[in-house]
Amino acid sequence: MSKTTRATQLLSQSGVTFSVHAYEYDPGAERVGLQAAEALGEAPHRVLKTLMAEVDGRPVCVVVPSDREVSMKKLASAFGGKSANMMKPADAERLTGYHVGGISPFGQQKSVPTAIEASALAEPLVYINGGQRGLQVRLDPKDALKTLKAIAAPLIA
């Protein structure tokens, strides 16, 4: 497994302090984020999952704790929209250039508006997918917010 991905390259070029953590990815896991948290020995609220969605038909990226669900109403509101829905996996892969289970908000093929769950910013360090299945980057969530030019909003149900 390569520890250099578009995500890690972007973080390095941006001058962000981060560390890379590999784990045994389980393709059969029902919830990839929770499986990553368990494999890394971390609390699920510190391992953030990256989801691709659409607000009023426009693609967005959403980063939330792996043990929580996104509220579609809150997601739409965060982006000033009326409705939100999850993007189909094939569309998410085409848009980001990453495979489902390895989608990172960093280094996506096409940059889209991104929102990070506001409560995650209270953590000193979080894990976010590093652009490959079984690869996480650990960094300050405020650095993630700044690098992604993301908004922080309450997004969880």
Side-chain angles (χ1 to χ4, degrees):
M1 167 187 299
S2 172
K3 292 188 179 180
T4 301
T5 64
R6 288 191 322 272
T8 59
Q9 288 173 334
L10 174 75
L11 290 168
S12 292
Q13 290 166 358
S14 299
V16 173
T17 299
F18 69 97
S19 56
V20 176
H21 302 265
Y23 67 95
E24 192 66 38
Y25 175 79
D26 178 4
E30 190 173 312
R31 296 177 69 185
V32 174
L34 291 178
Q35 190 257 326
E38 185 177 326
L40 293 167
E42 280 293 331
H45 69 275
R46 282 197 294 269
V47 179
L48 308 182
K49 58 186 174 183
T50 305
L51 304 170
M52 299 305 294
E54 295 173 326
V55 173
D56 294 344
R58 295 182 321 259
V60 298
C61 180
V62 188
V63 182
V64 297
S66 62
D67 60 345
R68 303 301 299 268
E69 295 297 321
V70 175
S71 161
M72 291 298 132
K73 186 175 182 176
K74 290 179 181 178
L75 175 59
S77 177
F79 287 104
K82 295 185 188 316
S83 67
N85 60 281
M86 295 308 298
M87 191 178 286
K88 291 180 178 142
D91 293 340
E93 289 183 342
R94 225 179 350 268
L95 182 72
T96 64
Y98 293 124
H99 294 292
V100 169
I103 293 178
S104 177
F106 307 107
Q108 292 186 3
Q109 280 186 163
K110 184 175 185 220
S111 182
V112 300
T114 302
I116 297 176
E117 166 55 38
S119 65
L121 298 178
E123 295 296 325
L125 294 170
V126 295
Y127 291 81
I128 299 176
N129 194 289
Q132 191 174 340
R133 293 171 177 161
L135 192 71
Q136 298 279 318
V137 291
R138 186 176 69 178
L139 71 164
D140 183 324
K142 293 171 193 73
D143 286 341
L145 188 74
K146 182 179 170 188
T147 302
L148 294 166
K149 297 179 177 75
I151 58 170
L155 301 166
I156 51 180

